[in-house]
């Protein structure tokens, strides 16, 4: 049931976990980019429970909580380092003292090396399994240079493989052609089918790591049109690229779409969250969703999806027929890149 990352021999569970929400509060260009308060003890318990349930793949970034997410993940897995696969990201410049991330980026060789060393320290490890460029809109020149540096870090054993977090299928294809990258991380969920990107990953043997697989929690079904998230939560922030929530409220059109496919997603005793993951596994064998979490209870529900497997092809077609005219293809272009 396990998969490998791209063409490497790094084995990962079909489900990973995203560690943005457990990073705690920080700001991006002065706007809250965390997910409200966090409890590190609870985050660590949740990660350890995930490992006990067979999940071995964890995605973080040096930007999440400006390093705090990496520290918490490092603490949680240090006794079982060889059993887990750690993916982290670099590229956005930040200030650890003020907990600020700036829209600016740096992917120069010296910066990447320094960022990698800092991530290794926070993660309490001497290698990163998958090192991802966080900045989706690099120029060709920047990409060439970043690939060269990543190849060097891999030769030196600081990283085992590398990938790119980008929404742009054309750039991803270029990356596939000129690198030995293992994965592309990109947004994908039942409300946002990105056929072009999935096709690039499948054609080039790259793992498609799916971020926001629950549409930032909207697909859990726990929100109604009156739900309001605080402005300390990224979903209540003023970031334009937050697609599924506006001013802290779930976008009604997305709630309606969820209702339209609820019955199919919850077939075979799946919860909505489990159905949303099953849709991704049905979408592509290259797909590895990395839902975010804050509690052990959430992790138990997420991990419970694995045994139920993908939706059937008939169910996938049914969902496509219901949502197709509306499937969201617009990209998070306003996110600083
Ligand atoms: N590369 C990038 O630019 C990028 C961008 C976005 C995300 N990511 C990565 O992808 C990961 C996941 O994406 P995401 O954080 O945007 O959102 P997501 O996975 O779509 O949604 C995660 C949120 O859903 C809620 N949730 C999770 N399990 C639940 C359950 N069982 N029942 C009810 N609610 C549940 C939790 O929020 P609450 O409990 O707070 O409601 C959780 O934080 C991130 O952690 C990060 O690693 C990367």
């Amino acid at each position: 049931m396990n998969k490998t990352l791209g063409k490497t021999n790094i084995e990962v569970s079909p489900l990973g976990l995203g560690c943005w929400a457990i990073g705690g509060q920080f700001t991006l260009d002065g706007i809250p980019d965390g997910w409200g308060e966090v409890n590190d003890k609870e985050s660590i318990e949740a990660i350890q429970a995930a490992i006990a349930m067979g999940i071995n793949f964890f995605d973080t970034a040096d930007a999440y909580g400006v390093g705090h997410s990496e520290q918490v993940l490092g603490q949680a897995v240090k006794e079982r380092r060889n059993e887990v696969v750690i993916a982290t990201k670099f590229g956005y410049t930040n200030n650890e003292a003020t907990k600020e991330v700036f829209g600016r980026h740096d992917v120069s060789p010296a910066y990447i090396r320094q960022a990698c060393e800092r991530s290794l320290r926070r993660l309490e490890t001497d290698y990163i399994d998958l090192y991802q460029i966080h900045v989706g809109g690099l120029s060709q020149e920047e990409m060439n240079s970043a690939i060269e540096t990543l190849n060097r870090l891999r030769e030196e054993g600081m990283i085992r493989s590398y990938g790119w977090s980008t929404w742009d299928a054309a750039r991803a294809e270029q990356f596939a052609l000129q690198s030995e990258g293992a994965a592309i991380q990109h947004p994908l969920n039942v409300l946002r089918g990105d056929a072009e990107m999935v096709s690039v990953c499948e054609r080039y043997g790259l793992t498609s790591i799916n971020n926001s697989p629950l549409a930032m929690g909207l697909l859990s079904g726990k929100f109604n049109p009156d739900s309001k998230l605080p402005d300390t939560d990224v979903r209540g922030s003023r970031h334009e690229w937050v697609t599924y929530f506006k001013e802290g409220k779930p976008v009604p059109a997305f709630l309606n779409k969820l209702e339209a496919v609820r019955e199919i997603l919850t077939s075979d005793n799946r919860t909505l969250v489990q159905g949303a993951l099953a849709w991704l596994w049905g979408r592509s064998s290259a797909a590895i969703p990395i839902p975010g979490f804050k509690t052990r209870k959430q992790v138990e529900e997420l991990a419970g999806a694995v045994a139920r497997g993908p939706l059937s092809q008939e169910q996938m077609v049914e969902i496509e027929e219901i949502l197709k005219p509306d499937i969201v293809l617009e990209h998070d272009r306003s996110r600083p890149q």
Side-chain angles (χ1 to χ4, degrees), residues 20-192:
W20 179 10
I22 61 163
Q25 289 303 342
F26 66 108
T27 69
L28 171 61
D29 283 338
I31 301 174
D33 208 51
W35 291 64
E37 289 314 305
V38 281
N39 175 333
D40 295 345
K41 193 167 164 280
E42 187 156 26
S43 305
I44 289 171
E45 274 172 21
I47 291 167
Q48 292 174 343
I51 298 171
M53 287 182 276
I55 308 302
N56 79 340
F57 183 43
F58 298 91
D59 175 76
T60 180
D62 61 4
Y64 301 160
V66 195
H68 190 68
S69 170
E70 288 185 328
Q71 276 168 342
V72 172
L73 178 61
Q75 271 183 54
V77 305
K78 66 181 168 194
E79 306 294 333
R80 305 180 71 170
R81 176 64 185 97
N82 296 337
E83 295 168 50
V84 300
V85 174
I86 298 180
T88 191
K89 313 185 196 78
F90 66 91
Y92 288 116
T93 56
N94 57 53
N95 182 330
E96 281 193 47
T98 58
K99 291 273 173 206
E100 281 172 293
V101 177
F102 310 111
R104 293 190 289 281
H105 68 262
D106 190 344
V107 292
S108 63
Y111 179 84
I112 297 179
R113 182 171 291 276
Q114 199 184 53
C116 186
E117 283 164 359
R118 284 197 296 244
S119 287
L120 289 171
R121 267 199 299 279
R122 284 189 292 254
L123 287 161
E124 299 185 50
T125 181
D126 49 14
Y127 64 93
I128 288 162
D129 297 284
L130 178 71
Y131 203 32
Q132 303 160 105
I133 308 167
H134 205 165
V135 186
L138 296 185
S139 68
Q140 181 68 44
E141 246 176 34
E142 288 174 316
M143 184 173 74
N144 297 345
S145 153
I147 290 171
E148 212 179 299
T149 308
L150 290 166
N151 281 331
R152 200 156 304 139
L153 295 183
R154 194 179 50 165
E155 277 158 30
E156 292 172 26
M158 291 166 77
I159 65 174
R160 291 176 78 198
S161 68
Y162 57 86
W164 192 1
S165 169
T166 183
W167 73 96
D168 186 322
R171 282 186 169 95
E173 180 157 27
Q174 197 51 42
F175 176 75
L177 285 169
Q178 65 177 88
S179 79
E180 289 172 20
I184 295 292
Q185 181 172 144
H186 62 102
L188 190 72
N189 61 53
V190 67
L191 301 173
R192 180 189 171 144

Side-chain angles (χ1 to χ4, degrees), residues 262-276 278 301 304-309 311 315:
R262 173 189 282 270
E263 207 179 307
I264 307 171
L265 293 179
T266 55
S267 62
D268 304 319
N269 289 326
R270 288 185 180 92
T271 65
L272 268 177
V273 157
Q274 293 171 340
E301 186 177 350
V306 176
R308 294 183 164 86
L311 293 185
Q315 290 173 316

